[in-house]
Amino acid sequence: MSCDCNEFQNLTANLQLLNKSILDVVTKLDEQTSMLNRAVFKSATHCGCIEIHATKQLFSQNKTLEENQLDLENHVEGELCSKCREKIEEEMGELIFYLASMCSALNLDLNDIMESKLDHLKTLGIYNLL
Ligand SMILES: [Zn+2]
């Protein structure tokens, strides 16, 4: 099932009661980002289904951007267990809910923003990362 961004944004707008103010939306979005980050880190520190081994990313001057990209690490080892995956997906859903709420409060269209960003990514490709 493909998600309809317009339907999602309209529904979030209709379900806003306590957090309709842009001030509440901004603080909830910020709080939700922290909750998502916490869920990711707890997968490593409490559950242990993944491990995070961060090291310096090495770029070679003798390689192209595409070649360097292949050498970069995400620093995640292992796979999320079903419980951690479910928790992270739940927190991501909440984050998108508040992002859609911010769009509604500011009279912006989440779908238009995603399409614009998609076009931007297609045009710039890997150079978008610089
Ligand atoms: Zn886990």
Side-chain angles (χ1 to χ4, degrees):
M1 184 183 85
S2 178
C3 186
D4 182 330
C5 267
N6 291 326
E7 182 186 6
F8 187 87
Q9 184 172 345
N10 289 336
L11 193 56
T12 60
N14 290 338
L15 294 176
Q16 283 294 346
L17 287 173
L18 299 175
N19 299 309
K20 190 152 187 155
S21 163
I22 185 66
L23 297 173
D24 290 323
V25 172
V26 168
T27 53
K28 289 297 285 184
L29 185 61
D30 189 43
E31 183 180 86
Q32 192 55 45
T33 302
S34 295
M35 290 176 74
L36 172 59
N37 293 342
R38 181 166 170 75
V40 171
F41 297 146
K42 281 180 82 170
S43 298
T45 59
H46 284 63
C47 177
C49 58
I50 61 168
E51 295 180 5
I52 300 170
H53 296 277
T55 54
K56 182 178 179 179
Q57 303 278 23
L58 299 175
F59 290 89
S60 171
Q61 300 294 331
N62 302 321
K63 293 182 177 177
T64 65
L65 272 178
E66 289 80 3
E67 288 170 338
N68 271 306
Q69 186 189 30
L70 293 174
D71 294 338
L72 297 177
E73 298 283 338
N74 66 19
H75 297 142
V76 177
E77 292 181 16
E79 293 290 330
L80 291 171
C81 69
S82 60
K83 189 177 169 194
C84 290
R85 180 188 173 97
E86 189 176 310
K87 178 68 176 165
I88 289 169
E89 287 177 345
E90 178 187 323
E91 299 295 358
M92 280 184 178
E94 289 292 311
L95 188 72
I96 297 169
F97 174 86
Y98 287 114
L99 188 62
S101 298
M102 180 182 274
C103 287
S104 296
L106 298 172
N107 202 24
L108 300 172
D109 188 304
L110 182 59
N111 194 57
D112 288 349
I113 294 167
M114 286 183 67
E115 282 180 359
S116 173
K117 186 62 181 176
L118 181 60
D119 286 344
H120 186 81
L121 291 170
K122 284 179 178 173
T123 303
L124 290 180
I126 198 170
Y127 297 96
N128 175 69
L129 303 173
L130 300 176

